[in-house]
Amino acid sequence: MIKVTKQIIEECAKNLMFELSEGQADLILEDFSTVMAQIDFLKNIQGVDAADEMTFPYKDHQKILREDKPTKPLKAVDAVKNSNTRLGNQIKLPKVVGNKHDKVDE
């Protein structure tokens, strides 16, 4: 398997027509090493290769799940009334993607 480096991440981003700002490749590399460590952990679980994949957890899902029926959507006012962090008629969420140069808005 190829060792992932900052240069490979930058090349992949360029091939996908993404423009990375300063520091983003480093953050992706850190995240990638975490993912690879988790994959290595999973590979070491005894019998994992012999397990059947679970593409859908319900054998006969037609009987278990309800049929989708179109309904009227909630009004924005009703949708956000249980949130304690609002911005107008939207729910304000914390930023989850960024780079190490971004200031955290808390």
Side-chain angles (χ1 to χ4, degrees):
M1 185 170 170
I2 299 172
K3 178 165 173 50
V4 177
T5 63
K6 181 178 176 180
Q7 291 75 24
I8 289 175
I9 291 171
E10 289 170 343
E11 183 180 329
C12 288
K14 182 181 174 187
N15 290 341
L16 293 168
M17 294 187 265
F18 284 108
E19 188 176 314
L20 298 177
S21 63
E22 184 71 30
Q24 284 183 315
D26 294 320
L27 286 174
I28 293 169
L29 186 59
E30 287 176 31
D31 288 345
F32 198 87
S33 64
T34 301
V35 170
M36 291 309 296
Q38 291 171 344
I39 289 172
D40 288 340
F41 175 79
L42 293 173
K43 286 194 301 190
N44 292 323
I45 295 174
Q46 208 170 34
V48 74
D49 290 330
D52 290 334
E53 66 277 351
M54 191 168 85
T55 55
F56 197 80
Y58 307 109
K59 294 279 184 205
D60 191 5
H61 64 278
Q62 298 298 335
K63 294 179 183 177
I64 297 172
L65 302 177
R66 66 168 170 73
E67 184 179 331
D68 285 335
K69 295 179 182 172
T71 61
K72 290 185 178 181
L74 288 175
K75 294 179 182 176
V77 159
D78 294 330
V80 299
K81 71 180 173 185
N82 290 324
S83 172
N84 53 356
T85 55
R86 289 185 285 258
L87 187 60
N89 66 348
Q90 298 177 347
I91 297 173
K92 183 178 177 187
L93 299 174
K95 184 175 183 176
V96 294
V97 178
N99 67 44
K100 62 185 175 185
H101 301 292
D102 288 343
K103 291 184 179 181
V104 178
D105 182 30
E106 294 182 6

